[in-house]
Amino acid sequence: MSRISIREAINKTLHEEMARDQSIILIGEDVASKHSGGVYGVTLGLSDKFGTERVIDTPITESAIIGAAGGAALTGLRPVAELMFIDFLGVCLDQLMNQIAKFRYMFGGNVTTPVTIRTMIGAGAGTGPQHSQILYPLLVSIPGIKVVAPSNAYDAKGLLAQAIRDDDPVVFCEHKAIYDEIAEVPDEEFVIPFGEARKVCEGKDITIVAFSRMVLFAEQAAKKLSSEGISVEVIDPRTLSPLDDKSIIESVEKTGKLLIVDEANPYCSMASEVSSVVAEKAFHALKAPIRKITSPHTPVPASPTLETFYVPSLSQIEEIVRELSNY
Amino acid sequence: MFENSQLYKAYRDMKLIREFEERIRAEYQQGKLPGFIHMYRAQEAIAVAVCMNLTDQDYIASTHRGHGHCIAKGCTVEDMLLELCCKDEGICRGKGGSMHIADMSKGMLGANAIVGAGPPIAAGAALTAKTLKNGCVSVAFIGDGASDQGTVAEALNLAVVLNLPMIFMYENNYYAEFTKNPKPDGRIAERAGAFGMPSVCIDGSDFFAVYDAAKNAVERGRAGGGPTAIEAIVPRYYGHFEGDAQQYRERDEVKSSRSMSDPIKKFLQDPRSEGLSKNEIEKLDNEISELIENGLEKAYSASEPSYEQLFTDVYVNYKGH
């Protein structure tokens, strides 16, 4: 076991997987940079170790990056492409939505497209309206893609290894505000299967389902509220598509109360999806209305002051949990 | 110089594309085929001449006007007809249809219903070839309409930057759907030069001209010399899609574009194909008719996909709701 950050866990996994499988290439903007290893240093050292034939810097050309990764995956490689910020989905969505996601289905099951797209999500770094969005709900709604969002270093390692080894296209969402979060991670290789939620902490009064960075907030809230005598169970689905609705339903059947915390904009979000799943499948277990905390239906503001209002907060979570507890 | 066997293959593939399309066009007009189909007539020499320079291990990415590319790359008429009829036995199990025919065993990476989406995918296949150092090349077929898409420019640039074994095969029929594309001949190919890529503009109805241009480009790609762009000029014989009334075209223009050089006639009139015998050609023609009739018969009597097929092959595996 080692105590490492999410950034280190991703870097280590990329090293291990590339050493294990020669068909893996990395392709993206600045991924081979010897000095910075991308914007946040996640790919540092990989081009030294594996060479620039396998760790490929490209021009600023997202459609070509994602499209070429898809074409390479169709023809025998196992590319890991980097879409620097998920906000850049706007310039390459066709290659993901109409091409990569649909190859297997529209070619009658005769092909696999084992491509992983690593991308940064989320607010909290003052990066403004076009570098701070969550956007994963857009992708979750597209059949043919799997979507993953780890909240800690252990999950980042196991889920990225699974994403790379998976024969389906996977979008791996890294929240830029939690790269430095440290956790105990086994030194050996391991994978975490998709579609299996993690029970972050056990509780009996209220269930919080939280995603990505919001899992950290939910965990903090649970600790604080336990001193007030409120027992909170926190569920981190870890994979958004497929979603482990079974674990969510089991928890709600135990607690009868549900709060969902999702940094995505509110409409058609993971919060609304989980809410719908529970309303449909665990309605009779509910002892209170389902509550949701999301960012508002606004772009992400650049102002650090406004951004603080934008992102769901610890105090909002505590407040709603107390309300649910008293319901 | 061409062997007679090569010339017969060239004739046979061009004629097969022509007859295949004329036959499905007639069927489509009777409402027997679903969806949209886009005719390749008058462009047959391009697909055939390019693909005769390729092996099954080389890749092509096609377009919405893809039947010719499929046949030239070796997809069987029977598989294609089953797919055009969207039957369970179709090459894509009826889930792709005319605009998504793909056959990995032939290096055919798919027709594509998104105009301009193929070149980045073809660049990826070229990247595979470069990474595996297997000497293969990848060809993107691109219409003049698609040439204006940003994806094509991105692929041109990436191919040059990464020195990919790739060919940008432009087929300029002067029309972007219903809109005349006001570009002088060669302008599209010249764009490649701005990215540092050599290019050539040729008569797309001349099999021998296309063959030579493709041969040079393929050899260059295989030898690690990087990408090449070829622009082939062809008339647009029919409409954008079958059923397009083409009211945006003058009657005379349609007429004159049709009388412009027919690639098959031109091929047979060329001194280089002198050695072909009339009997052999007649035999090939008969085989082609039989192939198409048998394929159609089989396709019409084949079974529809089952309800369960709606849900299969979205993923390799997917645990969840």
Side-chain angles (χ1 to χ4, degrees):
Chain A
M1 287 289 216
S2 303
R3 288 181 58 76
I4 59 171
S5 67
I6 291 179
R7 179 201 331 272
E8 290 166 321
I10 295 169
N11 183 279
K12 192 164 184 284
T13 310
L14 291 171
H15 272 96
E16 287 171 1
E17 292 301 307
M18 289 192 76
R20 191 183 55 76
D21 183 347
Q22 294 296 309
S23 71
I24 297 169
I25 57 163
L26 249 57
I27 182 166
E29 295 155 13
D30 307 329
V31 293
S33 162
K34 288 186 192 310
H35 306 291
S36 59
V39 180
Y40 287 85
V42 177
T43 56
L44 208 58
L46 285 155
S47 60
D48 280 339
K49 180 84 194 254
F50 300 104
T52 49
E53 294 266 296
R54 288 182 67 198
V55 182
I56 303 163
D57 267 344
T58 67
I60 298 170
T61 185
E62 283 84 10
S63 278
I65 295 167
I66 303 304
L74 267 187
T75 51
L77 297 187
R78 197 167 277 274
V80 179
E82 182 174 309
L83 179 62
M84 192 181 277
F85 294 89
I86 201 169
D87 311 71
F88 305 167
L89 203 53
V91 290
C92 62
L93 187 56
D94 176 69
Q95 288 296 334
L96 184 53
M97 173 178 76
N98 282 325
Q99 311 300 330
I100 288 172
K102 294 177 173 55
F103 282 152
R104 184 168 176 79
Y105 192 80
M106 71 186 175
F107 298 163
N110 293 321
V111 305
T112 56
T113 317
V115 55
T116 302
I117 297 171
R118 293 181 38 249
T119 188
M120 272 193 281
I121 62 168
T127 45
Q130 297 173 343
H131 281 65
S132 307
Q133 298 170 88
I134 290 289
L135 293 184
Y136 50 56
L138 288 179
L139 302 176
V140 169
S141 70
I142 300 170
I145 311 173
K146 295 173 179 173
V147 185
V148 181
S151 67
N152 62 77
Y154 178 89
D155 288 348
K157 186 156 195 285
L159 291 170
L160 182 57
Q162 175 58 39
I164 294 171
R165 296 178 196 189
D166 204 279
D167 283 333
D168 290 312
V170 181
V171 179
F172 188 85
C173 302
E174 303 168 10
H175 199 300
K176 63 175 85 64
I178 61 172
Y179 270 134
D180 290 324
E181 287 296 318
I182 287 172
E184 290 273 331
V185 179
D187 294 319
E188 61 272 17
E189 293 176 18
F190 66 99
V191 296
I192 298 171
F194 291 165
E196 293 186 9
R198 181 174 70 102
K199 196 175 283 179
V200 179
C201 57
E202 186 105 28
K204 59 181 177 45
D205 299 332
I206 290 156
T207 298
I208 300 181
V209 174
F211 297 90
S212 184
R213 185 188 184 202
M214 296 301 109
V215 176
L216 275 67
F217 290 10
E219 197 176 3
Q220 285 173 42
K223 275 189 191 139
K224 197 161 172 207
L225 291 158
S226 74
S227 65
E228 296 174 23
I230 306 172
S231 170
V232 177
E233 179 151 299
V234 177
I235 305 278
D236 175 2
R238 304 193 287 195
T239 66
L240 285 55
S241 174
L243 180 69
D244 180 4
D245 50 2
K246 193 162 158 269
S247 293
I248 295 168
I249 289 162
E250 269 170 22
S251 179
V252 173
E253 280 173 344
K254 178 172 71 175
T255 62
K257 293 176 179 176
L258 173 65
L259 166 63
I260 310 148
V261 190
D262 181 11
E263 192 185 318
N265 296 114
Y267 306 142
C268 299
S269 62
M270 287 313 294
S272 50
E273 178 61 23
V274 169
S275 168
S276 135
V277 164
V278 170
E280 262 192 287
K281 298 184 182 170
F283 181 74
H284 294 291
L286 288 170
K287 295 181 227 160
I290 296 167
R291 299 297 300 271
K292 298 181 292 183
I293 303 174
T294 65
S295 59
H297 187 58
T298 69
V300 187
S303 150
T305 303
L306 291 177
E307 193 186 47
T308 309
F309 298 142
Y310 175 91
V311 177
S313 69
L314 185 57
S315 59
Q316 264 178 302
I317 298 172
E318 288 169 13
E319 190 188 319
I320 304 287
V321 169
R322 285 193 197 102
E323 279 179 34
L324 276 171
S325 175
N326 294 328
Y327 187 86
Chain B
M1 282 309 291
F2 289 88
E3 302 283 337
N4 266 358
S5 60
Q6 283 178 293
L7 294 169
Y8 282 123
K9 180 175 168 46
Y11 172 79
R12 185 249 182 208
D13 285 1
M14 286 193 286
K15 192 67 187 280
L16 181 56
I17 295 169
R18 170 78 52 90
E19 294 302 318
F20 175 88
E21 287 216 310
E22 286 303 319
R23 194 69 179 84
I24 60 167
R25 186 165 172 265
E27 298 298 296
Y28 188 83
Q29 286 170 354
Q30 292 173 54
K32 291 185 184 172
L33 300 174
F36 287 128
I37 57 171
H38 303 79
M39 297 290 110
Y40 193 66
R41 181 162 177 149
Q43 301 177 223
E44 295 93 340
I46 302 172
V48 173
V50 168
C51 292
M52 276 183 66
N53 282 286
L54 305 178
T55 72
D56 286 354
Q57 282 69 51
D58 294 313
Y59 307 109
I60 67 165
S62 172
T63 70
H64 59 287
R65 204 175 294 289
H67 303 146
H69 307 140
C70 292
I71 291 174
K73 197 69 176 64
C75 300
T76 72
V77 160
E78 185 180 299
D79 285 345
M80 287 173 66
L81 287 168
L82 282 160
E83 189 59 33
L84 286 179
C85 292
C86 294
K87 295 302 178 76
D88 192 37
E89 276 181 79
I91 196 161
C92 302
R93 306 215 61 183
K95 294 174 181 177
S98 164
M99 289 196 281
H100 300 289
I101 294 175
D103 185 349
M104 294 302 134
S105 71
K106 301 289 181 193
M108 166 59 193
L109 304 177
N112 204 313
I114 305 295
V115 171
I121 298 164
L127 180 59
T128 297
K130 184 191 167 196
T131 304
L132 302 179
K133 299 182 174 61
N134 60 12
C136 292
V137 299
S138 177
V139 180
F141 288 94
I142 308 159
D144 52 304
S147 74
D148 289 328
Q149 285 278 31
T151 43
V152 178
E154 288 195 32
L156 283 166
N157 190 45
L158 190 73
V160 170
V161 170
L162 300 183
N163 195 42
L164 298 176
M166 186 171 170
I167 293 108
F168 290 78
M169 183 63 243
Y170 293 104
E171 300 181 83
N172 184 357
N173 68 8
Y174 296 145
Y175 277 90
E177 300 182 8
F178 303 165
T179 302
K180 195 150 191 174
N181 215 353
K183 296 181 183 68
D185 291 1
R187 174 65 54 81
I188 295 170
E190 280 169 13
R191 287 180 185 174
F195 293 93
M197 189 187 302
S199 68
V200 61
C201 181
I202 50 167
D203 173 2
S205 64
D206 180 349
F207 169 85
F208 296 99
V210 182
Y211 186 91
D212 289 345
K215 188 166 185 282
N216 289 338
V218 168
E219 279 173 1
R220 190 165 170 267
R222 291 202 204 286
T228 307
I230 303 169
E231 177 180 346
I233 307 295
V234 285
R236 192 170 82 185
Y237 195 92
Y238 290 128
H240 167 51
F241 49 78
E242 186 47 41
D244 171 6
Q246 300 196 77
Q247 282 165 335
Y248 49 90
R249 292 175 87 180
E250 298 293 332
R251 187 176 280 270
D252 283 352
E253 193 222 313
V254 176
K255 220 171 152 188
S256 76
S257 82
R258 287 187 176 184
S259 68
M260 271 171 72
S261 36
D262 173 341
I264 299 177
K265 247 186 217 162
K266 203 167 188 170
F267 172 81
L268 290 175
Q269 283 164 358
D270 193 288
R272 281 166 285 191
S273 69
E274 257 173 14
L276 301 186
S277 88
K278 277 205 168 126
N279 281 347
E280 278 300 313
I281 283 177
E282 203 173 304
K283 214 171 109 191
L284 284 174
D285 286 347
N286 291 336
E287 281 170 21
I288 285 167
S289 301
E290 207 176 317
L291 204 58
I292 293 167
E293 292 315 312
N294 290 346
L296 259 183
E297 199 176 314
K298 181 172 177 190
Y300 283 139
S301 58
S303 48
E304 293 289 322
S306 65
Y307 171 75
E308 286 72 25
Q309 278 299 322
L310 174 63
F311 305 99
T312 56
D313 297 322
V314 182
Y315 295 91
V316 175
N317 60 63
Y318 190 74
K319 189 187 157 193
H321 68 135

